[in-house]
Amino acid sequence: MLNEEEQSTLKALGDSIATAAQNVLLNNVATAIQKAGTEYAVEFCNVNAVPLTDSVALVHQVTVQRLSDKSRNKHNAIQTSFDSIAWNKIKQSKTSFVTQNLNAEVYFYKPITIAMPTCIKCHGSKSDIEENTLKLIAKKYPLDKAIGYSLGDLRGMWKIKIK
């Protein structure tokens, strides 16, 4: 069991890593949109989102995941009961936290919200997303559930396994 000081230290570490990963993704997506629009950004994310988060994980020697109950990429779907419990806690509290599993592995969870108007261009309602972008999302992600959001909505959570 982690004491309060350990919890605080690990929470600060997890938050800094999640913020770094978020910034890398947002900056790259914004650049992709500026370069060639939202269709290009969908293609970019399809190929680069996981490697970008993996690069942050490698620098910090942790495991980084984005998880959601309304995922676009099937690899970002909540799949374990441990993550389901964390998701329910995130939905209720909207705050980050540190926890341990039965194997004493330490995890940091942090909410991901729709924080910028740019996010709505690919995750908003069908009227917010350009028709060609919607078609490409449907092609790349046939099981997509990651639309219908508004600014400020809870989109998912960061999960960081801290060694």
Side-chain angles (χ1 to χ4, degrees):
M1 199 59 138
L2 299 168
N3 65 39
E4 279 187 44
E5 185 178 333
E6 290 169 324
Q7 288 251 349
S8 180
T9 300
L10 291 168
K11 191 174 177 183
L13 174 63
D15 189 62
S16 69
I17 295 168
T19 299
Q22 182 88 20
N23 287 339
V24 165
L25 284 175
L26 289 177
N27 289 337
N28 277 277
V29 170
T31 299
I33 290 172
Q34 287 174 348
K35 180 177 179 180
T38 54
E39 284 179 77
Y40 177 76
V42 169
E43 292 277 3
F44 178 88
C45 285
N46 183 260
V47 173
N48 296 297
V50 171
L52 285 169
T53 55
D54 286 350
S55 71
V56 172
L58 186 62
V59 167
H60 295 280
Q61 300 193 350
V62 297
T63 303
V64 177
Q65 291 178 279
R66 290 175 300 144
L67 300 174
S68 178
D69 63 344
K70 289 175 56 179
S71 62
R72 174 156 290 164
N73 182 327
K74 65 182 179 183
H75 300 293
N76 296 345
I78 295 169
Q79 298 177 8
T80 69
S81 59
F82 192 75
D83 290 338
S84 290
I85 291 166
W87 178 239
N88 287 328
K89 186 173 180 176
I90 289 279
K91 286 194 302 187
Q92 289 175 350
S93 70
K94 308 275 194 295
T95 60
S96 58
F97 63 94
V98 173
T99 189
Q100 280 184 295
N101 66 12
L102 295 175
N103 297 323
E105 296 169 319
V106 176
Y107 293 91
F108 170 80
Y109 290 93
K110 181 180 181 177
I112 299 171
T113 58
I114 300 291
M116 299 182 341
T118 304
C119 301
I120 299 299
K121 292 180 179 184
C122 294
H123 293 287
S125 68
K126 289 185 178 183
S127 63
D128 295 319
I129 305 170
E130 293 177 5
E131 189 176 331
N132 287 339
T133 302
L134 264 176
K135 287 178 183 174
L136 184 59
I137 290 169
K139 181 181 175 188
K140 294 282 182 189
Y141 305 98
L143 302 176
D144 179 49
K145 299 178 203 164
I147 61 170
Y149 290 100
S150 299
L151 276 178
D153 285 352
L154 181 63
R155 162 81 178 90
M157 65 182 175
W158 288 103
K159 175 187 178 185
I160 299 174
K161 181 179 178 185
I162 302 172
K163 296 176 182 158

